[in-house]
């Protein structure tokens, strides 16, 4: 993604609105340019093509989303289980984001294509969020490899819960927590089987 400046931010903001209104594949760059108040040439100076613009919007929104998840968990007070809460909140926050949720439900092929290219970055962001929400010293105690493995496991189960149908409802926070306790927690790496608690 190009370095942020006023025009770049205006383009990303405009693209986000257009994606929400029309879907990623149906958005014309002329409409993004018009909404951003810039020329089409200005867009092409910053993004080689529409795919690159889509990637930049998703990257920016994901960075903000993971930071929000970490901050919310950090400020939520004592949790019964940080793993379950991180898993639950990740699903709830993705669903509340109109564009990311729309892509997951209506354009899963786009999501999978993005995941193939950017999954290592997503793991890094989740690992950073875990460092924020864990009690002081916990991440250092279990080691960086275990934190990365946990981030990977959370993301894989979140993707499964968001993209695949379920025989049991996963609509409320309590339903998601129950799913996490039945299926997600038993899948954790051995170093993380004993849950961290506040």
């Amino acid at each position: 993604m190009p370095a942020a400046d006023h025009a770049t931010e205006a383009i990303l903001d405009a693209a986000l609105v257009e994606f929400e209104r029309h879907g990623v594949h149906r958005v014309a760059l002329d409409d993004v340019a018009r909404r951003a108040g810039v020329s089409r040439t200005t867009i092409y100076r910053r993004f080689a093509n529409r795919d690159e613009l889509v990637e930049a919007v998703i990257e920016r929104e994901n960075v903000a989303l993971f930071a929000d998840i970490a901050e919310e968990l950090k400020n939520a007070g004592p949790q019964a289980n940080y793993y379950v809460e991180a898993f639950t909140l990740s699903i709830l926050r993705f669903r509340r984001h109109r564009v990311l949720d729309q892509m997951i439900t209506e354009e899963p092929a786009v999501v999978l294509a993005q995941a193939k290219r950017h999954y290592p970055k997503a793991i890094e962001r989740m690992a950073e969020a875990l460092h924020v929400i864990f009690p002081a010293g916990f991440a250092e105690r279990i080691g960086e490899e275990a934190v990365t493995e946990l981030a990977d496991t959370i993301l894989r189960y979140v993707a499964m819960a968001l993209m695949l149908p379920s025989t049991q409802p996963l609509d409320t926070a309590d339903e998601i927590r129950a799913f996490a306790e039945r299926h997600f927690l038993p899948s954790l790496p051995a170093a993380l089987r004993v849950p961290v608690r506040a």
Side-chain angles (χ1 to χ4, degrees):
M1 177 180 166
D5 57 34
H6 178 71
T8 299
E9 288 301 318
I11 292 165
L12 294 176
D13 289 342
L16 184 67
V17 174
E18 292 296 323
F19 293 163
E20 181 181 340
R21 294 180 66 178
H22 305 294
V24 171
H25 284 304
R26 293 184 292 277
V27 168
L29 289 185
D30 286 336
D31 294 333
V32 174
R34 192 176 305 111
R35 181 175 293 279
V38 301
S39 69
R40 188 181 172 99
T41 303
T42 300
I43 293 179
Y44 279 116
R45 283 195 193 110
R46 289 159 172 80
F47 306 99
N49 50 48
R50 190 177 66 167
D51 287 345
E52 191 171 296
L53 175 60
V54 170
E55 289 180 9
V57 170
I58 293 172
E59 172 68 9
R60 186 185 71 163
E61 295 306 299
N62 273 330
V63 167
L65 186 70
F66 278 93
D68 287 346
I69 289 169
E71 193 64 22
E72 186 169 337
L73 285 171
K74 182 180 179 182
N75 295 327
Q79 304 290 338
N81 188 300
Y82 280 93
Y83 308 148
V84 170
E85 293 307 312
F87 176 84
T88 300
L89 189 58
S90 295
I91 291 175
L92 293 175
R93 292 304 291 266
F94 267 96
R95 284 180 177 165
R96 289 178 199 156
H97 193 291
R98 292 176 182 174
V99 171
L100 296 178
D101 182 62
Q102 181 185 67
M103 288 180 63
I104 288 169
T105 56
E106 297 179 13
E107 304 185 74
V110 173
V111 176
L112 291 174
Q114 292 289 322
K116 285 181 181 178
R117 287 194 292 273
H118 302 294
Y119 192 66
K121 281 187 182 178
I123 292 176
E124 286 179 18
R125 285 193 297 267
M126 177 58 82
E128 289 168 5
L130 291 172
H131 276 282
V132 171
I133 67 172
F134 281 154
F138 181 77
E140 291 74 18
R141 195 160 65 246
I142 64 174
E144 202 56 42
E145 185 176 343
V147 174
T148 299
E149 199 171 349
L150 174 59
D152 180 33
T153 305
I154 290 175
L155 288 175
R156 290 181 185 279
Y157 271 78
V158 166
M160 179 179 68
L162 288 171
M163 298 182 74
L164 297 178
S166 174
T167 57
Q168 298 174 331
L170 292 175
D171 300 319
T172 68
D174 286 342
E175 289 168 348
I176 297 168
R177 286 188 188 100
F179 173 89
E181 288 167 359
R182 284 195 310 271
H183 303 290
F184 168 63
L185 286 182
S187 74
L188 290 178
L192 301 170
R193 294 283 164 76
V194 178
V196 55
R197 298 175 186 276

